[in-house]
Amino acid sequence: MSAALIWAGVAVAVLSAVRLLLTRDLFARLHFIGPAAVLAAPLVVAGLALRPWSSWHDVAKLVLIGVLLVGTGPATVVATARARRGPDG
């Protein structure tokens, strides 16, 4: 189960990266970064947390990293888009 979650997260991250490389428009690029932060990171974190070698403090650290990625990823995308648009909107 953990390997399937890890590979699913890696697949989402790779697909997002490929779409990112093939897109020229900044706002479209920002759109393709979202799934990597919101979907790929939790999948990889869940897969790593379910590994047999994981202890409770390893899982706690992984969950904290995952929460920070999911919480700050969309906010970073929005802040970048607003900064790119400029003060006039």
Side-chain angles (χ1 to χ4, degrees), residues 24-32 80-82 84-85:
R24 297 285 181 218
D25 182 41
L26 175 72
F27 295 113
R29 287 177 147 211
L30 290 173
H31 178 74
F32 292 128
T80 305
R82 286 184 179 176
R84 172 66 168 97
R85 189 179 313 154

Side-chain angles (χ1 to χ4, degrees), residues 4-50:
L5 288 171
I6 292 169
W7 282 110
V10 168
V12 170
V14 168
L15 288 174
S16 293
V18 168
R19 290 294 305 249
L20 187 67
L21 289 173
L22 298 176
T23 305
R24 297 285 181 218
D25 182 41
L26 175 72
F27 295 113
R29 287 177 147 211
L30 290 173
H31 178 74
F32 292 128
I33 291 173
V38 176
L39 185 59
L43 286 172
V44 172
V45 166
L48 289 174
L50 292 175

Side-chain angles (χ1 to χ4, degrees), residues 55-87:
S55 64
W56 70 269
H57 60 278
D58 291 336
V59 172
K61 287 187 272 186
L62 287 169
V63 168
L64 177 64
I65 291 169
V67 166
L68 289 173
L69 283 172
V70 169
T72 60
T76 305
V77 170
V78 169
T80 305
R82 286 184 179 176
R84 172 66 168 97
R85 189 179 313 154

